[in-house]
Amino acid sequence: QKVAGARFENRALGLTTARNLLRLGDPGAARDVLLKLEPTAEGDFTYWNFLFAAANELKDTDLMLSSITQAYKLRPNDVPTMNNYAATLLIHRLRPDEIIKLTVQLRARDPRSLAATINHAFALLLNQRAGEAEALLKTVDLNKLIPAHASLYHLGLFDAYTAQQKFDAAWHASDKIKLEHLYPNQVKWLEETRRRLPPRAGA
């Protein structure tokens, strides 16, 4: 609490402190330190990456979007930044045309990346290409997914099935989504979409 309340007139010390707070598992304090440095952060790629990391841990999607947008403007060809930018746009369901271009590039650079494949499927969904998204998701080996990615995988299938009016399959995919792995925007969209679905078969 004392660290987060300090003024940090020394910018380098502030960045180092924020990095260490992130390593210690205190993203809230790291965010508070970083926000004090923001007025002089315009061209500082490292700063925006640290702020994005803190926001991501806190699942603060608005701060994620603002920080990763600044990082992407500074280094639009940096692969991790491209990936984080695309993923954040997907969480907000923004800029479908831009996302599809990004995810195509990311898959081309690493065709074996399961995260890139899932993100590209979401990009297809945002562009009203649900059949293609479903087919792509079904190429993913579920056994290789970490729990967070597995929930995103089933969220993607839920979206694809709903768009194609495959409502029984949508409910089945919905049952496999763990809400703790989703961001607030995704949880809100999922709950709103579930409420619009016809009742389960036999319900």
Side-chain angles (χ1 to χ4, degrees):
Q1 289 174 347
K2 288 180 180 179
V3 167
R7 292 180 63 184
F8 287 104
E9 294 176 359
N10 183 316
R11 181 177 180 77
L13 178 60
L15 287 174
T16 300
T17 302
R19 179 185 63 194
N20 289 332
L21 287 167
L22 284 168
R23 288 176 175 172
L24 291 169
D26 194 342
R31 174 203 56 200
D32 293 345
V33 169
L34 289 165
L35 288 176
K36 294 177 183 180
L37 306 175
E38 186 171 356
T40 57
E42 184 176 355
D44 189 340
F45 177 75
T46 299
Y47 169 86
W48 295 113
N49 260 340
F50 284 168
L51 187 57
F52 173 79
N56 187 40
E57 287 294 322
L58 295 166
K59 294 190 175 180
D60 182 339
T61 53
D62 288 340
L63 188 57
M64 286 171 63
L65 181 60
S66 61
S67 55
I68 199 60
T69 298
Q70 292 299 324
Y72 181 70
K73 286 178 181 177
L74 293 169
R75 296 191 189 176
N77 295 313
D78 179 72
V79 171
T81 302
M82 291 169 66
N83 187 65
N84 288 334
Y85 181 58
T88 304
L89 290 179
L90 286 168
I91 289 167
H92 285 268
R93 304 179 75 83
L94 293 173
R95 304 172 203 159
D97 292 344
E98 187 173 6
I99 293 175
I100 201 84
K101 292 174 185 175
L102 277 169
T103 56
V104 165
Q105 290 178 53
L106 288 164
R107 287 197 76 215
R109 293 188 183 203
D110 187 0
R112 295 176 296 177
S113 169
L114 298 179
T117 298
I118 292 171
N119 281 344
H120 185 56
F122 275 105
L124 290 169
L125 287 163
L126 275 185
N127 284 274
Q128 288 79 52
R129 295 161 63 181
E132 292 175 67
E134 178 188 350
L136 180 59
L137 286 168
K138 288 183 175 178
T139 68
V140 172
D141 184 350
L142 273 174
N143 295 320
K144 295 181 178 179
L145 295 179
I146 62 173
H149 288 168
S151 283
L152 287 176
Y153 169 88
H154 291 296
L155 181 67
L157 278 182
F158 171 81
D159 194 343
Y161 290 142
T162 300
Q164 297 173 88
Q165 299 187 352
K166 300 177 180 180
F167 298 124
D168 289 344
W171 279 116
H172 184 67
S174 169
D175 292 338
K176 297 182 180 180
I177 300 168
K178 305 295 184 185
L179 296 184
E180 63 266 26
H181 296 309
L182 304 185
Y183 292 84
N185 307 48
Q186 294 170 321
V187 173
K188 181 181 178 182
W189 176 87
L190 174 62
E191 291 176 344
E192 289 175 349
T193 306
R194 279 171 169 168
R195 284 196 290 268
R196 293 197 298 268
L197 288 185
R200 295 172 185 266

mmCIF file of all heavy atoms in Angstrom, residues 29-61:
data_model
loop_
_atom_site.group_PDB
_atom_site.id
_atom_site.type_symbol
_atom_site.label_atom_id
_atom_site.label_comp_id
_atom_site.label_asym_id
_atom_site.label_seq_id
_atom_site.Cartn_x
_atom_site.Cartn_y
_atom_site.Cartn_z
ATOM 1 N N ALA A 29 -1.660 -3.088 -7.428
ATOM 2 C CA ALA A 29 -0.658 -2.097 -7.014
ATOM 3 C C ALA A 29 0.195 -1.677 -8.206
ATOM 4 O O ALA A 29 0.538 -0.498 -8.345
ATOM 5 C CB ALA A 29 0.215 -2.677 -5.905
ATOM 6 N N ALA A 30 0.526 -2.634 -9.079
ATOM 7 C CA ALA A 30 1.305 -2.303 -10.275
ATOM 8 C C ALA A 30 0.544 -1.309 -11.146
ATOM 9 O O ALA A 30 1.115 -0.333 -11.639
ATOM 10 C CB ALA A 30 1.621 -3.570 -11.058
ATOM 11 N N ARG A 31 -0.733 -1.540 -11.331
ATOM 12 C CA ARG A 31 -1.557 -0.615 -12.122
ATOM 13 C C ARG A 31 -1.549 0.781 -11.512
ATOM 14 O O ARG A 31 -1.409 1.787 -12.215
ATOM 15 C CB ARG A 31 -2.985 -1.135 -12.190
ATOM 16 C CG ARG A 31 -3.986 -0.181 -12.858
ATOM 17 C CD ARG A 31 -5.407 -0.487 -12.410
ATOM 18 N NE ARG A 31 -5.523 -0.438 -10.956
ATOM 19 C CZ ARG A 31 -6.499 -1.010 -10.266
ATOM 20 N NH1 ARG A 31 -7.450 -1.681 -10.891
ATOM 21 N NH2 ARG A 31 -6.528 -0.926 -8.943
ATOM 22 N N ASP A 32 -1.702 0.850 -10.184
ATOM 23 C CA ASP A 32 -1.749 2.156 -9.519
ATOM 24 C C ASP A 32 -0.447 2.927 -9.704
ATOM 25 O O ASP A 32 -0.454 4.144 -9.927
ATOM 26 C CB ASP A 32 -2.045 1.973 -8.031
ATOM 27 C CG ASP A 32 -3.452 1.424 -7.783
ATOM 28 O OD1 ASP A 32 -4.273 1.466 -8.719
ATOM 29 O OD2 ASP A 32 -3.708 0.953 -6.660
ATOM 30 N N VAL A 33 0.683 2.212 -9.629
ATOM 31 C CA VAL A 33 1.983 2.852 -9.853
ATOM 32 C C VAL A 33 2.090 3.337 -11.293
ATOM 33 O O VAL A 33 2.491 4.473 -11.569
ATOM 34 C CB VAL A 33 3.134 1.878 -9.527
ATOM 35 C CG1 VAL A 33 4.479 2.435 -10.006
ATOM 36 C CG2 VAL A 33 3.185 1.591 -8.027
ATOM 37 N N LEU A 34 1.698 2.484 -12.231
ATOM 38 C CA LEU A 34 1.841 2.819 -13.650
ATOM 39 C C LEU A 34 0.961 3.986 -14.062
ATOM 40 O O LEU A 34 1.377 4.836 -14.861
ATOM 41 C CB LEU A 34 1.517 1.581 -14.499
ATOM 42 C CG LEU A 34 2.561 0.465 -14.435
ATOM 43 C CD1 LEU A 34 1.995 -0.835 -14.982
ATOM 44 C CD2 LEU A 34 3.824 0.851 -15.196
ATOM 45 N N LEU A 35 -0.236 4.055 -13.541
ATOM 46 C CA LEU A 35 -1.138 5.134 -13.929
ATOM 47 C C LEU A 35 -0.588 6.503 -13.543
ATOM 48 O O LEU A 35 -0.861 7.504 -14.209
ATOM 49 C CB LEU A 35 -2.528 4.923 -13.323
ATOM 50 C CG LEU A 35 -3.347 3.780 -13.939
ATOM 51 C CD1 LEU A 35 -4.670 3.595 -13.203
ATOM 52 C CD2 LEU A 35 -3.588 3.997 -15.432
ATOM 53 N N LYS A 36 0.239 6.543 -12.496
ATOM 54 C CA LYS A 36 0.877 7.808 -12.114
ATOM 55 C C LYS A 36 1.931 8.247 -13.124
ATOM 56 O O LYS A 36 2.256 9.427 -13.205
ATOM 57 C CB LYS A 36 1.520 7.663 -10.734
ATOM 58 C CG LYS A 36 0.504 7.457 -9.623
ATOM 59 C CD LYS A 36 1.196 7.246 -8.298
ATOM 60 C CE LYS A 36 0.154 6.980 -7.214
ATOM 61 N NZ LYS A 36 0.763 6.775 -5.902
ATOM 62 N N LEU A 37 2.451 7.290 -13.885
ATOM 63 C CA LEU A 37 3.491 7.585 -14.873
ATOM 64 C C LEU A 37 2.913 7.876 -16.257
ATOM 65 O O LEU A 37 3.649 8.250 -17.167
ATOM 66 C CB LEU A 37 4.472 6.412 -14.977
ATOM 67 C CG LEU A 37 5.122 5.930 -13.677
ATOM 68 C CD1 LEU A 37 5.968 4.688 -13.953
ATOM 69 C CD2 LEU A 37 5.964 7.017 -13.039
ATOM 70 N N GLU A 38 1.607 7.715 -16.429
ATOM 71 C CA GLU A 38 1.000 7.790 -17.757
ATOM 72 C C GLU A 38 1.206 9.132 -18.476
ATOM 73 O O GLU A 38 1.395 9.149 -19.696
ATOM 74 C CB GLU A 38 -0.496 7.475 -17.679
ATOM 75 C CG GLU A 38 -1.155 7.391 -19.047
ATOM 76 C CD GLU A 38 -2.584 6.866 -18.977
ATOM 77 O OE1 GLU A 38 -3.046 6.487 -17.887
ATOM 78 O OE2 GLU A 38 -3.231 6.825 -20.037
ATOM 79 N N PRO A 39 1.187 10.283 -17.781
ATOM 80 C CA PRO A 39 1.328 11.555 -18.510
ATOM 81 C C PRO A 39 2.597 11.670 -19.350
ATOM 82 O O PRO A 39 2.614 12.426 -20.325
ATOM 83 C CB PRO A 39 1.313 12.599 -17.375
ATOM 84 C CG PRO A 39 0.513 11.954 -16.293
ATOM 85 C CD PRO A 39 0.889 10.497 -16.348
ATOM 86 N N THR A 40 3.641 10.918 -19.007
ATOM 87 C CA THR A 40 4.898 10.995 -19.772
ATOM 88 C C THR A 40 5.189 9.692 -20.514
ATOM 89 O O THR A 40 6.330 9.420 -20.873
ATOM 90 C CB THR A 40 6.076 11.317 -18.828
ATOM 91 O OG1 THR A 40 6.136 10.317 -17.793
ATOM 92 C CG2 THR A 40 5.895 12.686 -18.185
ATOM 93 N N ALA A 41 4.150 8.888 -20.757
ATOM 94 C CA ALA A 41 4.360 7.529 -21.278
ATOM 95 C C ALA A 41 4.099 7.376 -22.762
ATOM 96 O O ALA A 41 4.198 6.268 -23.289
ATOM 97 C CB ALA A 41 3.467 6.550 -20.516
ATOM 98 N N GLU A 42 3.815 8.448 -23.470
ATOM 99 C CA GLU A 42 3.278 8.345 -24.832
ATOM 100 C C GLU A 42 4.057 7.393 -25.742
ATOM 101 O O GLU A 42 3.477 6.554 -26.417
ATOM 102 C CB GLU A 42 3.224 9.733 -25.470
ATOM 103 C CG GLU A 42 2.575 9.721 -26.849
ATOM 104 C CD GLU A 42 2.437 11.125 -27.423
ATOM 105 O OE1 GLU A 42 2.764 12.085 -26.716
ATOM 106 O OE2 GLU A 42 2.007 11.241 -28.585
ATOM 107 N N GLY A 43 5.376 7.503 -25.793
ATOM 108 C CA GLY A 43 6.154 6.679 -26.715
ATOM 109 C C GLY A 43 6.883 5.522 -26.062
ATOM 110 O O GLY A 43 7.808 4.954 -26.651
ATOM 111 N N ASP A 44 6.457 5.126 -24.874
ATOM 112 C CA ASP A 44 7.174 4.110 -24.089
ATOM 113 C C ASP A 44 6.486 2.752 -24.237
ATOM 114 O O ASP A 44 5.525 2.437 -23.537
ATOM 115 C CB ASP A 44 7.216 4.545 -22.626
ATOM 116 C CG ASP A 44 8.118 3.664 -21.776
ATOM 117 O OD1 ASP A 44 8.411 2.523 -22.188
ATOM 118 O OD2 ASP A 44 8.527 4.121 -20.693
ATOM 119 N N PHE A 45 7.023 1.934 -25.131
ATOM 120 C CA PHE A 45 6.436 0.617 -25.407
ATOM 121 C C PHE A 45 6.426 -0.265 -24.152
ATOM 122 O O PHE A 45 5.437 -0.956 -23.876
ATOM 123 C CB PHE A 45 7.229 -0.059 -26.523
ATOM 124 C CG PHE A 45 6.769 -1.446 -26.865
ATOM 125 C CD1 PHE A 45 5.606 -1.642 -27.595
ATOM 126 C CD2 PHE A 45 7.490 -2.556 -26.460
ATOM 127 C CE1 PHE A 45 5.172 -2.922 -27.913
ATOM 128 C CE2 PHE A 45 7.070 -3.840 -26.785
ATOM 129 C CZ PHE A 45 5.903 -4.021 -27.507
ATOM 130 N N THR A 46 7.512 -0.237 -23.386
ATOM 131 C CA THR A 46 7.600 -1.064 -22.177
ATOM 132 C C THR A 46 6.511 -0.684 -21.185
ATOM 133 O O THR A 46 5.873 -1.554 -20.576
ATOM 134 C CB THR A 46 8.980 -0.921 -21.522
ATOM 135 O OG1 THR A 46 9.972 -1.373 -22.442
ATOM 136 C CG2 THR A 46 9.076 -1.747 -20.247
ATOM 137 N N TYR A 47 6.303 0.604 -21.020
ATOM 138 C CA TYR A 47 5.258 1.073 -20.107
ATOM 139 C C TYR A 47 3.901 0.510 -20.486
ATOM 140 O O TYR A 47 3.178 -0.025 -19.637
ATOM 141 C CB TYR A 47 5.197 2.609 -20.117
ATOM 142 C CG TYR A 47 3.975 3.147 -19.401
ATOM 143 C CD1 TYR A 47 3.987 3.354 -18.031
ATOM 144 C CD2 TYR A 47 2.789 3.403 -20.111
ATOM 145 C CE1 TYR A 47 2.859 3.821 -17.367
ATOM 146 C CE2 TYR A 47 1.653 3.865 -19.448
ATOM 147 C CZ TYR A 47 1.693 4.070 -18.086
ATOM 148 O OH TYR A 47 0.567 4.516 -17.439
ATOM 149 N N TRP A 48 3.524 0.622 -21.755
ATOM 150 C CA TRP A 48 2.197 0.166 -22.176
ATOM 151 C C TRP A 48 2.055 -1.340 -22.047
ATOM 152 O O TRP A 48 0.967 -1.847 -21.736
ATOM 153 C CB TRP A 48 1.910 0.626 -23.606
ATOM 154 C CG TRP A 48 1.821 2.113 -23.725
ATOM 155 C CD1 TRP A 48 2.677 2.946 -24.386
ATOM 156 C CD2 TRP A 48 0.835 2.971 -23.133
ATOM 157 N NE1 TRP A 48 2.294 4.258 -24.252
ATOM 158 C CE2 TRP A 48 1.162 4.306 -23.497
ATOM 159 C CE3 TRP A 48 -0.298 2.744 -22.346
ATOM 160 C CZ2 TRP A 48 0.395 5.396 -23.077
ATOM 161 C CZ3 TRP A 48 -1.059 3.825 -21.936
ATOM 162 C CH2 TRP A 48 -0.716 5.133 -22.298
ATOM 163 N N ASN A 49 3.147 -2.071 -22.249
ATOM 164 C CA ASN A 49 3.109 -3.519 -22.058
ATOM 165 C C ASN A 49 2.889 -3.878 -20.594
ATOM 166 O O ASN A 49 2.125 -4.801 -20.273
ATOM 167 C CB ASN A 49 4.407 -4.160 -22.560
ATOM 168 C CG ASN A 49 4.252 -4.761 -23.935
ATOM 169 O OD1 ASN A 49 3.151 -5.038 -24.384
ATOM 170 N ND2 ASN A 49 5.359 -4.965 -24.622
ATOM 171 N N PHE A 50 3.585 -3.183 -19.692
ATOM 172 C CA PHE A 50 3.380 -3.432 -18.262
ATOM 173 C C PHE A 50 1.942 -3.108 -17.855
ATOM 174 O O PHE A 50 1.322 -3.853 -17.096
ATOM 175 C CB PHE A 50 4.352 -2.589 -17.429
ATOM 176 C CG PHE A 50 5.768 -3.083 -17.403
ATOM 177 C CD1 PHE A 50 6.776 -2.282 -16.893
ATOM 178 C CD2 PHE A 50 6.107 -4.336 -17.868
ATOM 179 C CE1 PHE A 50 8.091 -2.724 -16.847
ATOM 180 C CE2 PHE A 50 7.420 -4.798 -17.836
ATOM 181 C CZ PHE A 50 8.420 -3.984 -17.322
ATOM 182 N N LEU A 51 1.424 -1.993 -18.366
ATOM 183 C CA LEU A 51 0.064 -1.602 -18.006
ATOM 184 C C LEU A 51 -0.946 -2.616 -18.551
ATOM 185 O O LEU A 51 -1.913 -2.971 -17.867
ATOM 186 C CB LEU A 51 -0.245 -0.199 -18.546
ATOM 187 C CG LEU A 51 -1.583 0.412 -18.107
ATOM 188 C CD1 LEU A 51 -1.687 0.472 -16.586
ATOM 189 C CD2 LEU A 51 -1.753 1.799 -18.714
ATOM 190 N N PHE A 52 -0.701 -3.110 -19.762
ATOM 191 C CA PHE A 52 -1.580 -4.142 -20.313
ATOM 192 C C PHE A 52 -1.527 -5.407 -19.453
ATOM 193 O O PHE A 52 -2.563 -6.028 -19.179
ATOM 194 C CB PHE A 52 -1.194 -4.483 -21.749
ATOM 195 C CG PHE A 52 -1.969 -5.651 -22.301
ATOM 196 C CD1 PHE A 52 -3.275 -5.482 -22.751
ATOM 197 C CD2 PHE A 52 -1.417 -6.921 -22.334
ATOM 198 C CE1 PHE A 52 -4.012 -6.560 -23.222
ATOM 199 C CE2 PHE A 52 -2.153 -8.005 -22.803
ATOM 200 C CZ PHE A 52 -3.453 -7.822 -23.254
ATOM 201 N N ALA A 53 -0.318 -5.801 -19.037
ATOM 202 C CA ALA A 53 -0.177 -7.010 -18.222
ATOM 203 C C ALA A 53 -0.956 -6.875 -16.914
ATOM 204 O O ALA A 53 -1.642 -7.821 -16.490
ATOM 205 C CB ALA A 53 1.299 -7.276 -17.936
ATOM 206 N N ALA A 54 -0.871 -5.704 -16.285
ATOM 207 C CA ALA A 54 -1.615 -5.488 -15.044
ATOM 208 C C ALA A 54 -3.115 -5.529 -15.310
ATOM 209 O O ALA A 54 -3.878 -6.183 -14.577
ATOM 210 C CB ALA A 54 -1.213 -4.149 -14.429
ATOM 211 N N ALA A 55 -3.551 -4.838 -16.352
ATOM 212 C CA ALA A 55 -4.977 -4.808 -16.689
ATOM 213 C C ALA A 55 -5.506 -6.196 -17.025
ATOM 214 O O ALA A 55 -6.623 -6.563 -16.650
ATOM 215 C CB ALA A 55 -5.213 -3.855 -17.861
ATOM 216 N N ASN A 56 -4.698 -6.983 -17.731
ATOM 217 C CA ASN A 56 -5.098 -8.346 -18.097
ATOM 218 C C ASN A 56 -5.291 -9.208 -16.864
ATOM 219 O O ASN A 56 -6.268 -9.962 -16.756
ATOM 220 C CB ASN A 56 -4.046 -8.950 -19.026
ATOM 221 C CG ASN A 56 -4.472 -10.292 -19.587
ATOM 222 O OD1 ASN A 56 -5.629 -10.488 -19.936
ATOM 223 N ND2 ASN A 56 -3.537 -11.223 -19.660
ATOM 224 N N GLU A 57 -4.366 -9.100 -15.909
ATOM 225 C CA GLU A 57 -4.493 -9.879 -14.678
ATOM 226 C C GLU A 57 -5.750 -9.476 -13.907
ATOM 227 O O GLU A 57 -6.403 -10.311 -13.280
ATOM 228 C CB GLU A 57 -3.257 -9.667 -13.798
ATOM 229 C CG GLU A 57 -2.002 -10.349 -14.302
ATOM 230 C CD GLU A 57 -2.105 -11.862 -14.262
ATOM 231 O OE1 GLU A 57 -2.690 -12.403 -13.304
ATOM 232 O OE2 GLU A 57 -1.613 -12.515 -15.207
ATOM 233 N N LEU A 58 -6.078 -8.201 -13.962
ATOM 234 C CA LEU A 58 -7.255 -7.691 -13.252
ATOM 235 C C LEU A 58 -8.549 -7.874 -14.052
ATOM 236 O O LEU A 58 -9.638 -7.593 -13.536
ATOM 237 C CB LEU A 58 -7.058 -6.197 -12.945
ATOM 238 C CG LEU A 58 -5.911 -5.868 -11.981
ATOM 239 C CD1 LEU A 58 -5.607 -4.382 -12.034
ATOM 240 C CD2 LEU A 58 -6.273 -6.301 -10.559
ATOM 241 N N LYS A 59 -8.414 -8.308 -15.302
ATOM 242 C CA LYS A 59 -9.554 -8.436 -16.227
ATOM 243 C C LYS A 59 -10.290 -7.101 -16.384
ATOM 244 O O LYS A 59 -11.521 -7.050 -16.496
ATOM 245 C CB LYS A 59 -10.499 -9.566 -15.797
ATOM 246 C CG LYS A 59 -9.853 -10.946 -15.900
ATOM 247 C CD LYS A 59 -10.833 -12.077 -15.720
ATOM 248 C CE LYS A 59 -10.149 -13.428 -15.970
ATOM 249 N NZ LYS A 59 -11.057 -14.569 -15.801
ATOM 250 N N ASP A 60 -9.497 -6.033 -16.406
ATOM 251 C CA ASP A 60 -10.031 -4.686 -16.644
ATOM 252 C C ASP A 60 -9.981 -4.459 -18.151
ATOM 253 O O ASP A 60 -8.983 -3.995 -18.700
ATOM 254 C CB ASP A 60 -9.182 -3.654 -15.902
ATOM 255 C CG ASP A 60 -9.699 -2.224 -16.055
ATOM 256 O OD1 ASP A 60 -10.451 -1.958 -17.014
ATOM 257 O OD2 ASP A 60 -9.325 -1.375 -15.236
ATOM 258 N N THR A 61 -11.071 -4.783 -18.832
ATOM 259 C CA THR A 61 -11.034 -4.823 -20.297
ATOM 260 C C THR A 61 -10.891 -3.450 -20.933
ATOM 261 O O THR A 61 -10.305 -3.328 -22.007
ATOM 262 C CB THR A 61 -12.282 -5.535 -20.846
ATOM 263 O OG1 THR A 61 -13.457 -4.927 -20.299
ATOM 264 C CG2 THR A 61 -12.269 -7.009 -20.461
#
